[in-house]
Amino acid sequence: MNDLSNASLTEHQTSFSCKPIPSLAFYTLLPLFFIGLFVSIFILVVVHNAAFFLSFLLLSALVASFLAWNAINWRHHNRSAFMFFLNSFPDSDLRLAREGQLVKVTGVASCGNLSLETSYERVGRCIYASTLLYEYGQFGLKPVNVKRSCFQWNLAYCERFSTDFYITDRISGIRAMVKAGSGCKVIPLITDSKLVTTTKQCRVLSPHLTNWLRERNLSADARLLRLEEGYIQEGNTVTVTGMLHKNDDVVTIIQPPELFSTGCLWQKLLLPIDVDGLILAPGCS
């Protein structure tokens, strides 16, 4: 079993960083901005021509918007960038794929030696399961972590697991093992469903939610909470992107040993993103 909970909490706590934008870009663009601003103001004052100054402001606004768009995308875990990359990456035929090749396989998932169960709804026979608890941060509430923000939903608790499973390639019919268990970095693109949401008018917690909180040593006081759960159950269609490994008749999909890039996604105005791990996403039936 692969515990992804700590990685998920780290993602949420560092989601304001602009990781897809290289630091070199800031160190290059910032001096150019001040040089351009100084020159444009100088021309405006000496020559009394505002054309260059207005053009500089327009260009600066376009560059800033482009960088802000990429930063916002990263803040929201780059789901759109990853999904666009997966949609543009064709499905691989395991009969023709070579050893060590980056492959994208879509097919029906089945459990291996170990299956998972979601902690709240108790959905069994899963290959991936996550339960996320959000708390609305505001003054007067005890903070869950030092980086939480007021007046917005903050991740207070996370359970996220994956395990080794099998996938039957819908193109070739070949059954492959996916090594998503212990020691593997997994990037799950699974949408969590909202199960419980308390409101300002009704903050009473149900007995089931209260017991669930107490079992995890969490406060069961009435407050603004939102609980989400996501999973991939045996029999569901799933898409996996990883490196192909063949050993005799055994076909395995593992985490790529090195980073691979999504490339520039100009259709979405997104800069390249380095992917470090096995991508797990819901497949189209």
Side-chain angles (χ1 to χ4, degrees):
M1 186 170 62
N2 191 4
D3 189 352
L4 308 172
S5 305
N6 290 334
S8 177
L9 283 168
T10 303
E11 278 181 16
H12 281 75
Q13 291 177 1
T14 60
S15 60
F16 289 93
S17 60
C18 306
K19 291 184 180 179
I21 304 174
S23 301
L24 182 61
F26 285 106
Y27 295 137
T28 304
L29 292 176
L30 200 59
L32 289 177
F33 172 79
F34 285 111
I35 292 172
L37 181 63
F38 175 77
V39 173
S40 61
I41 293 177
F42 177 80
I43 294 176
L44 178 64
V45 173
V46 176
V47 185
H48 301 290
N49 188 344
F52 186 84
F53 181 71
L54 294 177
S55 300
F56 170 77
L57 291 181
L58 177 61
L59 180 61
S60 299
L62 291 175
V63 173
S65 300
F66 176 71
L67 296 178
W69 168 250
N70 279 268
I72 291 172
N73 248 277
W74 181 264
R75 175 180 173 179
H76 294 286
H77 315 297
N78 257 323
R79 183 179 297 272
S80 59
F82 281 124
M83 293 306 297
F84 187 80
F85 167 73
L86 286 180
N87 293 334
S88 61
F89 190 63
D91 284 339
S92 305
D93 188 340
L94 292 183
R95 293 170 300 186
L96 306 176
R98 304 181 306 275
E99 166 75 16
Q101 178 180 338
L102 184 68
V103 295
K104 171 190 169 187
V105 180
T106 300
V108 177
S110 56
C111 294
N113 296 329
L114 177 67
S115 63
L116 303 173
E117 181 183 71
T118 61
S119 65
Y120 189 79
E121 283 194 310
R122 298 295 183 186
V123 178
R125 302 295 295 173
C126 297
I127 63 166
Y128 167 84
S130 70
T131 304
L132 308 177
L133 179 69
Y134 293 89
E135 184 175 1
Y136 193 82
Q138 54 183 311
F139 295 111
L141 292 179
K142 183 180 179 180
V144 178
N145 60 67
V146 295
K147 293 188 177 181
R148 75 178 299 170
S149 302
C150 297
F151 304 112
Q152 72 174 27
W153 290 101
N154 298 278
L155 182 64
Y157 180 78
C158 173
E159 292 180 6
R160 180 170 283 174
F161 301 96
S162 65
T163 185
D164 295 343
F165 65 95
Y166 293 95
I167 184 172
T168 303
D169 179 21
R170 66 181 179 185
I171 295 179
S172 63
I174 295 177
R175 191 169 185 252
M177 169 171 274
V178 181
K179 301 292 289 184
S182 179
C184 177
K185 292 183 180 180
V186 178
I187 302 174
L189 302 178
I190 312 302
T191 302
D192 300 302
S193 301
K194 296 179 183 179
L195 301 182
V196 178
T197 303
T198 59
T199 64
K200 293 181 179 179
Q201 291 75 24
C202 182
R203 302 189 185 188
V204 179
L205 307 184
S206 67
H208 181 43
L209 178 59
T210 301
N211 292 333
W212 185 87
L213 291 170
R214 287 174 176 168
E215 287 173 359
R216 286 151 183 80
N217 295 321
L218 300 173
S219 172
D221 296 338
R223 60 195 189 279
L224 296 178
L225 295 176
R226 188 179 80 227
L227 188 137
E228 299 179 358
E229 205 160 64
Y231 57 86
I232 299 178
Q233 199 172 18
E234 187 174 52
N236 292 153
T237 303
V238 63
T239 297
V240 178
T241 303
M243 192 182 77
L244 182 66
H245 175 66
K246 293 182 178 180
N247 184 12
D248 296 330
D249 295 331
V250 180
V251 179
T252 310
I253 301 175
I254 62 176
Q255 172 192 339
E258 299 178 351
L259 300 176
F260 65 94
S261 176
T262 61
C264 289
L265 306 176
W266 295 119
Q267 298 91 330
K268 297 289 185 178
L269 296 177
L270 295 175
L271 293 168
I273 300 168
D274 290 330
V275 182
D276 184 14
L278 188 80
I279 300 180
L280 188 63
C284 298
S285 303

